[in-house]
Amino acid sequence: MPVSPDFLDYILDLLSPLGPVEAPRLFGGRGLTLHGRNFGLITRDDTLYLKADAISQPQFEAASCIRFAPWADKPHRSLGYYTPPEGAMDDPDELLHWARLAVDAALRAPAKTPKKAKVPAQKKNLADMLLE
């Protein structure tokens, strides 16, 4: 089941003070991006996760936030995303505080450079080979 439209609209409304947040489809859920940087995600069960890094992770953990672990058979492996603390979804200012931590983490992450397209090797034509 995809992210519910009502939940998506609710989250985008709460995050609107950050700027033009976009929510492209992402593996059955939605990513949350601001100025091309991914700072959060919403899973199919309408759970919001926010990006954390080495600087902000201790704050998420101290607030007992739940870490995103998408592989049930590998609970030790996870991505650096956490739910906001309990109650933050009901307090727009509190949620914005945590979302700003996530945006800051996204801005600190190295920008991904687009992969260069492989140029196929050019085959020599017969005339070029005869001239060599």
Side-chain angles (χ1 to χ4, degrees):
M1 171 190 260
V3 173
S4 75
D6 290 340
F7 186 75
L8 178 60
D9 289 344
Y10 174 68
I11 295 300
L12 292 175
D13 185 51
L14 289 174
L15 298 177
S16 64
L18 296 175
V21 174
E22 296 178 356
R25 295 184 190 280
L26 179 71
F27 303 113
R30 295 291 185 132
L32 295 173
T33 62
L34 182 65
H35 305 300
R37 296 297 190 110
N38 189 20
F39 72 93
L41 55 96
I42 302 172
T43 59
R44 287 180 259 186
D45 64 352
D46 288 348
T47 303
L48 172 65
Y49 290 91
L50 298 170
K51 185 176 187 71
D53 63 4
I55 294 171
S56 61
Q57 181 178 342
Q59 294 174 64
F60 280 93
E61 290 178 351
S64 300
C65 300
I66 299 168
R67 190 170 191 171
F68 179 60
W71 302 285
D73 61 333
K74 300 175 187 171
H76 61 284
R77 292 194 64 205
S78 68
L79 303 175
Y81 290 83
Y82 290 81
T83 60
E86 194 171 322
M89 296 292 286
D90 299 322
D91 181 348
D93 292 331
E94 180 74 7
L95 183 61
L96 279 175
H97 164 75
W98 292 96
R100 285 186 177 104
L101 290 176
V103 169
D104 290 345
L107 292 173
R108 284 190 292 268
K112 292 183 180 179
T113 56
K115 292 181 181 180
K116 292 183 180 179
K118 291 185 180 180
V119 177
Q122 293 202 353
K123 295 181 181 179
K124 294 182 179 180
N125 63 38
L126 182 58
D128 288 340
M129 292 183 353
L130 292 174
L131 293 175
E132 290 181 343

